[in-house]
Amino acid sequence: MPRSAKAERLLEEHGRTYAEEAGIRLRNTPSPLYRLLTLCVLLSVRIKADIAVSAARELSAAGMRTPRAMAEASWQDRVDALGRAHYRRYDESTATALGDGARLLLDRYRGDLRRLREEADGDPERIRGLLREFPRIGPVGADIFSREAQGVWPELRPAFDTRARHAAAALHLPKTPEGLAGLVTGDDLPRLAAALVRVELAK
């Protein structure tokens, strides 16, 4: 099967981003970007992706869609929302990390991740470095953010993390982000990256 046909099939069968699954209509505006950051915090521990996505939906349903709302919610409110999604074992530490991260975002960037983007001045590595200053966001979380946000922050393109590239190699697709980017349009990059990660996790 030609590589382009394989990519198209991946998009058809697995091309749903994790942000989309979490009910986030990603745009370059403060609330969706913050909800994506929250999702990345939830995905950054050893827990099943579907549980992390469910937790993101619960936090959103509880009104914690902005850093202000997250910071003003009680620690117990955050724990309870995580518990409803069966986000166990990490619920208490994650509730603390979300509260501390929300306050950091408010204090440093006035609650708007676009100001982090401006501070990075178009440098993808600088964006990832600044993201890693948030509690619980390490290299994996920063890579997830880049993978999902590349549709609205073009300077992050092409973002294919280790899991995505490993799956690509197993499928005999290009092993480099640049090679993978050549298989789809720019708007489909987040979907292709997510599809590859889903294939890798399904193993």
Side-chain angles (χ1 to χ4, degrees), residues 76-184:
Q76 191 62 54
D77 286 340
R78 295 193 290 270
V79 169
D80 290 346
L82 295 171
R84 288 192 294 274
H86 307 290
Y87 194 94
R88 307 296 187 190
R89 184 179 171 193
Y90 300 103
D91 54 349
E92 294 186 355
S93 63
T94 300
T96 299
L98 288 170
D100 291 346
R103 285 183 283 273
L104 173 61
L105 182 54
L106 289 166
D107 292 345
R108 183 163 178 181
Y109 301 109
R110 287 178 282 166
D112 190 343
L113 281 167
R114 293 176 301 180
R115 291 192 170 91
L116 178 150
R117 183 187 186 190
E118 291 171 4
E119 185 171 321
D121 196 27
D123 183 343
E125 283 306 313
R126 180 67 175 146
I127 288 174
R128 283 188 277 269
L130 292 173
L131 288 170
R132 289 196 298 270
E133 295 180 6
F134 287 91
R136 190 60 67 76
I137 298 289
V140 170
D143 282 346
I144 295 170
F145 187 96
S146 299
R147 194 179 76 209
E148 295 271 328
Q150 62 183 318
V152 293
W153 288 4
E155 65 270 32
L156 293 173
R157 300 176 185 173
F160 291 88
D161 57 21
T162 301
R163 278 179 172 161
R165 295 196 304 273
H166 191 273
L171 293 169
H172 305 291
L173 291 172
K175 299 177 183 178
T176 66
E178 293 75 18
L180 289 166
L183 300 177
V184 296

Side-chain angles (χ1 to χ4, degrees), residues 16-17 29 36-37 65 67 149 174:
R16 190 181 190 197
T17 67
T29 54
L36 174 60
L37 182 68
R65 294 168 168 249

